[in-house]
Amino acid sequence: MKFVKVEWNPAAGGFWLDPRGYVAELPKLVDDLPKGAGAFATDPGHYDFGSPRCVKDLELVGASLAGDGDAGFEVRFGANEWKHDSGLVIRYAQVSDLRLAAPGASINDLGPVLLDEILPAKHGCRHEIVFIGGTLAISCADFDARWEWDGGPGGADFE
């Protein structure tokens, strides 16, 4: 990630997470982000670790390619029972690049989300999600992110 800091801190026995550089840069970036990506990135709870709308601690529960010819990709995250009141579904449109790095782990063992970062890219945006056990990066035209209640629509959406 370019602005968000996710670093292992051996003295603390955990990760040091700092989104402040990205949050400070976001007002300069938001006009270059596609509409859905920009709305999701600027949600007031996105980087507030105590918010039920913060991506930190979500768990990857599924991912699938869209069969509609749009080069779509969907990622589903389950709620952390101590923090979130719903899971998150992100539907990416016109995906041009998809990368999963999970050194020493399988896709089923990525662990919880630490943080993410959304940056403008040539054909839309690049969304990088860092987990304890790996990283998922998606380049796309735009995406729709929705907090869903018990698998159904509800909560805030970012359109």
Side-chain angles (χ1 to χ4, degrees), residues 114-134:
L114 293 173
L115 281 177
D116 72 332
E117 180 178 270
I118 305 158
L119 295 174
K122 185 176 181 180
H123 298 290
C125 63
R126 183 173 190 272
H127 188 195
E128 185 173 357
I129 306 163
V130 176
F131 300 83
I132 285 177

Side-chain angles (χ1 to χ4, degrees), residues 75-137:
V75 181
R76 292 186 165 274
F77 296 94
N80 175 296
E81 66 178 305
W82 306 109
K83 178 177 181 178
H84 302 101
D85 51 16
S86 61
L88 176 67
V89 177
I90 304 176
R91 293 177 180 94
Y92 299 91
Q94 300 173 23
V95 173
S96 57
D97 190 45
L98 177 62
R99 295 176 191 259
L100 173 67
S106 74
I107 192 167
N108 297 322
D109 193 31
L110 289 172
V113 172
L114 293 173
L115 281 177
D116 72 332
E117 180 178 270
I118 305 158
L119 295 174
K122 185 176 181 180
H123 298 290
C125 63
R126 183 173 190 272
H127 188 195
E128 185 173 357
I129 306 163
V130 176
F131 300 83
I132 285 177
T135 302
L136 177 63

Side-chain angles (χ1 to χ4, degrees), residues 7-115:
E7 298 172 4
W8 176 253
N9 181 340
F15 285 92
W16 177 67
L17 308 174
D18 188 358
R20 292 177 296 182
Y22 179 68
V23 171
E25 196 70 23
L26 197 50
K28 299 176 203 165
L29 301 172
V30 72
D31 288 341
D32 293 327
L33 287 172
K35 183 180 177 184
F40 182 63
T42 58
D43 180 80
H46 193 116
Y47 292 101
D48 174 356
F49 292 165
S51 170
R53 296 295 177 255
C54 180
V55 297
K56 184 180 177 318
D57 299 320
L58 288 169
E59 297 266 350
L60 180 67
V61 294
S64 61
L65 295 171
D68 59 8
D70 183 34
F73 184 65
E74 179 179 283
V75 181
R76 292 186 165 274
F77 296 94
N80 175 296
E81 66 178 305
W82 306 109
K83 178 177 181 178
H84 302 101
D85 51 16
S86 61
L88 176 67
V89 177
I90 304 176
R91 293 177 180 94
Y92 299 91
Q94 300 173 23
V95 173
S96 57
D97 190 45
L98 177 62
R99 295 176 191 259
L100 173 67
S106 74
I107 192 167
N108 297 322
D109 193 31
L110 289 172
V113 172
L114 293 173
L115 281 177

